[in-house]
Amino acid sequence: MREAIANWVLGTEQPFTVVEEVLYVKMIKTAQSQFEKFSRATSRADCFKIYEHEKKKLKALTKAASKISLTTDCWRSSHQRVEYMVITGHFIDQNWRLQKRVLSFVHIPPPRTGLDIADCIYKCLKDWEIEDKIFTISVDNEAYNDRVVRTLKEKFSRVKRLSCGVKDGLAKIERVIGEVREGIKYINYSEARRQVFSNVAHQRQIRDRKLFLDVPTRWNSTYDMLSVALKFKDAFPRYAEYEPHFRHLPTELDWKNVENVCEILKVFKVCTNIISGSDYPTSNLYLIEVFRVKQTLDKGSLSENAFIREMVSAMKEKFDKYWGECHLVMAIASVLDPRFKMKLVEFSFPIIYENSENHVEEVKNALYLMYSEYLEMHDTLVREAANNGSGHGGNVVSGRSEGTSLGSGWEAFGEFIKNVDLEIPKKSELDLYLEEGVYREQGQGGIGSFSALEWWNVHRLKYRVLSMMAMDVLAIPISTVASELLLVPGVELLIRIELHWHQKRFVLEEILDLIFLGALDLDGDDED
């Protein structure tokens, strides 16, 4: 009974004091007459018992993982100015299921530096005993993360979020964005103003959709605000006739620039939504989406509109920086998607790079180098298994057939098979995989109709070494958004309870604010 109550307290984020409330105790006694009241201290102890149990289960799960990729996300509370960081582990379990688990949610006291964050990450990994399993780490594009990855460079590889300087591009029309934002604030200030604007929109035969404000720190939110506002651009001047104090009127040229920007950002939004998925591997999808982005930027750089050319130049600068830091591992991930293999690299690199031949060759070399490392790892495991099993198997055979030629024959044949299995074939699994051609989906295809993990699970016996490699590479998350979208089971809330229980009650108040605002991501539900 107490265990069920503890799970309820955690899952619904109740205060520990709830178990002492008179009406609560009366309700429980009505359902279970033998229920005995207990204190808040007992409730807290029960919750931590569940936490310890769940932590042991998660440790066993991470221990069985071959490699683990990390995402980190740092943010600052709006009115309390408190720094937080969430660390999420991504890996594929033995059943070829993609796992996403919160490993740490910590308060980072000011001043928050790259060194402080690196120390927090390393402390977390030591606590979970996975410091030797880290495959990659994905961070956002804050400047301090450069120091983080430099500090952790000896252990981690880096992958960055596909932002490509969108914020820099939007800065070029900050004045226009400000006008639209302030205009929407004015209209949404009261129900009367919203009603007048709605009437104006109907008069202009504009579909009745509500204007909404963006979150300035999230470019995709700004894109959504602008794209909706564009539908009402003809209503703004008409609304100003009814509201003489309304002064936020972008010019026709301003609206044209907003429209051009939205055409570019629409591509970014689609790509970001795809590579920010949390229910399927994203590393194998990164290259084809980068290809789309590069095409869009190239087209924008040739635009007759000087404003668009200037905006795109800022975005291309960030694109080159971020893509240059992670192109190898992401290209290898695309090769491990049977729909792409090397064909996507050969198709997209001439668009992305000027000297594409050198970069294609670089990917091949890195691919075979990584495969050779996994081959060595696999051979070691095979030898260890053979050595551990040969003694036991030999005893069984000799015991059953001792003194006969059959027994010695089985032993000789076993030694022959063991040696043959360790011989390096003329063609590697990687060669055979690449030579077979790409997998062609039937029907329309798309992300929802094909699972790279299911494909590798089916073919793991055919590609024993390559499947090990695919298991680790396909678990790499491309964006820290993957951790933001992670829905955490109620039991895992205990991780955050233990790690920042010392924080005051304002933490809970802040979370409730975010939840009621609809921020159903780790930025909003990771505190207790």
Side-chain angles (χ1 to χ4, degrees):
M1 186 66 174
R2 278 172 42 188
E3 181 180 353
I5 293 174
N7 279 313
W8 172 76
V9 169
L10 292 169
T12 58
E13 299 185 2
Q14 299 291 333
F16 297 139
T17 56
V18 71
V19 299
E20 298 177 344
E21 294 180 4
V22 176
L23 292 178
Y24 169 81
V25 174
K26 183 178 180 181
M27 177 185 66
I28 299 298
K29 276 187 172 293
T30 302
Q32 176 56 264
S33 59
Q34 297 179 348
F35 172 76
E36 295 183 2
K37 179 182 176 181
F38 54 89
S39 68
R40 69 185 74 180
T42 302
S43 175
R44 184 175 185 273
D46 289 344
C47 289
F48 275 99
K49 285 180 181 178
I50 295 177
Y51 161 71
E52 293 295 341
H53 176 69
E54 292 298 321
K55 186 174 182 179
K56 288 180 181 179
K57 288 170 57 178
L58 182 53
K59 271 196 172 183
L61 195 61
T62 56
K63 183 178 181 180
S66 172
K67 296 291 182 181
I68 299 175
S69 293
L70 302 178
T71 55
T72 68
D73 192 21
C74 297
W75 58 277
R76 174 183 299 172
S77 63
S78 58
H79 58 281
Q80 296 291 348
R81 302 300 178 189
V82 180
E83 315 279 352
Y84 295 97
M85 178 176 68
V86 61
I87 303 175
T88 308
H90 306 255
F91 56 94
I92 297 172
D93 64 20
Q94 298 303 308
N95 296 317
W96 287 87
R97 291 191 298 253
L98 184 62
Q99 299 285 348
K100 306 169 294 297
R101 301 301 181 98
V102 174
L103 302 178
S104 178
F105 191 87
V106 293
H107 164 59
I108 303 179
R112 181 178 62 182
T113 66
L115 187 59
D116 294 333
I117 294 174
D119 289 342
C120 284
I121 293 174
Y122 190 72
K123 181 180 178 181
C124 168
L125 303 181
K126 292 285 288 184
D127 180 53
W128 286 96
E129 300 176 358
I130 58 173
E131 64 271 18
D132 59 340
K133 290 179 177 285
I134 302 306
F135 196 51
T136 65
I137 178 170
S138 302
V139 298
D140 59 24
N141 55 2
E142 295 291 345
Y144 51 71
N145 278 322
D146 292 335
R147 177 65 183 275
V148 173
V149 294
R150 283 198 301 268
T151 305
L152 299 173
K153 189 174 181 180
E154 294 182 358
K155 293 183 178 292
F156 306 135
S157 299
R158 175 167 70 164
V159 184
K160 275 209 163 188
R161 177 184 298 188
L162 179 63
S163 63
C164 300
V166 173
K167 288 184 179 180
D168 292 349
L170 288 177
K172 303 297 182 182
I173 58 168
E174 184 58 37
R175 181 190 62 80
V176 181
I177 294 175
E179 280 293 300
V180 174
R181 186 181 291 127
E182 292 303 317
I184 295 174
K185 284 182 181 179
Y186 183 92
I187 294 169
N188 287 343
Y189 182 78
S190 67
E191 184 178 354
R193 291 178 182 178
R194 289 195 298 270
Q195 186 60 49
V196 172
F197 188 83
S198 179
N199 293 338
V200 170
H202 279 135
Q203 292 174 12
R204 309 295 291 183
Q205 297 184 344
I206 300 173
R207 185 178 177 182
D208 188 10
R209 296 181 61 188
K210 293 183 179 180
L211 296 170
F212 64 90
L213 287 171
D214 65 333
V215 180
T217 57
R218 296 176 181 253
W219 68 265
N220 50 345
S221 172
T222 302
Y223 161 76
D224 290 336
M225 179 188 72
L226 294 177
S227 60
V228 172
L230 273 172
K231 300 179 183 298
F232 292 93
K233 69 175 184 178
D234 293 334
F236 278 81
R238 182 67 174 169
Y239 176 75
E241 297 177 6
Y242 290 90
E243 291 284 343
H245 298 292
F246 184 73
R247 297 285 187 269
H248 309 288
L249 290 174
T251 66
E252 189 64 30
L253 179 60
D254 289 338
W255 283 119
K256 185 63 177 177
N257 286 335
V258 169
E259 185 177 357
N260 290 333
V261 169
C262 285
E263 288 180 3
I264 295 176
L265 295 187
K266 184 178 180 179
V267 176
F268 278 82
K269 183 176 176 65
V270 172
C271 295
T272 300
N273 287 341
I274 291 174
I275 67 173
S276 297
S278 59
D279 298 327
Y280 52 85
T282 55
S283 57
N284 53 314
L285 304 174
Y286 188 72
L287 178 56
I288 196 167
E289 297 306 326
V290 164
F291 170 73
R292 291 181 61 196
V293 169
K294 185 61 163 61
Q295 278 188 320
T296 302
L297 294 179
D298 287 345
K299 181 180 178 181
S301 65
L302 300 176
S303 173
E304 296 179 357
N305 188 320
F307 165 78
I308 292 297
R309 292 198 305 272
E310 183 181 1
M311 184 193 75
V312 166
S313 66
M315 298 169 75
K316 287 188 69 174
E317 182 179 351
K318 289 292 180 68
F319 174 91
D320 294 336
K321 175 186 176 183
Y322 294 159
W323 172 243
E325 292 169 346
C326 61
H327 73 287
L328 273 180
V329 67
M330 294 302 99
I332 290 174
S334 70
V335 173
L336 293 175
D337 188 317
R339 299 169 296 175
F340 303 143
K341 300 191 177 180
M342 280 297 299
K343 301 300 182 184
L344 180 58
V345 173
E346 295 166 354
F347 167 74
S348 61
F349 270 35
I351 303 297
I352 299 175
Y353 296 109
E354 293 183 0
N355 300 321
S356 60
E357 296 85 359
N358 295 336
H359 291 287
V360 171
E361 192 64 26
E362 185 181 10
V363 171
K364 288 181 180 179
N365 293 336
L367 180 65
Y368 277 89
L369 178 60
M370 181 179 289
Y371 174 78
S372 66
E373 294 174 356
Y374 276 83
L375 179 61
E376 182 179 352
M377 184 192 312
H378 176 266
D379 289 346
T380 300
L381 294 176
V382 170
R383 289 190 183 94
E384 291 176 354
N387 293 332
N388 293 335
S390 60
H392 177 69
N395 291 336
V396 171
V397 172
S398 61
R400 293 173 58 188
S401 308
E402 188 175 357
T404 66
S405 60
L406 180 61
S408 59
W410 276 104
E411 291 175 0
F413 179 71
E415 289 297 319
F416 168 75
I417 289 297
K418 183 169 67 175
N419 293 329
V420 169
D421 282 348
L422 294 178
E423 289 180 0
I424 300 176
K426 294 181 179 179
K427 284 190 175 182
S428 67
E429 291 181 7
L430 182 54
D431 292 325
L432 296 175
Y433 171 76
L434 296 177
E435 289 175 1
E436 282 187 350
V438 298
Y439 171 81
R440 297 181 182 273
E441 297 181 81
Q442 296 183 359
Q444 294 182 347
I447 296 176
S449 62
F450 176 81
S451 171
L453 295 184
E454 290 181 5
W455 191 94
W456 280 106
N457 188 24
V458 171
H459 294 82
R460 69 185 187 279
L461 296 180
K462 181 179 180 180
Y463 301 111
R464 295 178 182 273
V465 178
L466 204 57
S467 62
M468 292 173 55
M469 182 171 157
M471 177 179 283
D472 294 336
V473 174
L474 294 180
I476 299 173
I478 294 306
S479 171
T480 59
V481 176
S483 65
E484 293 171 358
L485 295 178
L486 178 60
L487 297 179
V488 183
V491 170
E492 290 194 10
L493 294 171
L494 284 164
I495 295 176
R496 282 104 66 192
I497 290 177
E498 183 197 44
L499 292 174
H500 65 286
W501 180 255
H502 62 281
Q503 296 301 316
K504 304 303 180 183
R505 291 291 297 176
F506 68 76
V507 176
L508 177 59
E509 296 170 2
E510 177 136 340
I511 294 173
L512 293 177
D513 290 343
L514 292 171
I515 290 176
F516 288 132
L517 289 173
L520 298 179
D521 53 22
L522 287 185
D523 283 354
D525 69 358
D526 263 338
E527 298 109 340
D528 306 284

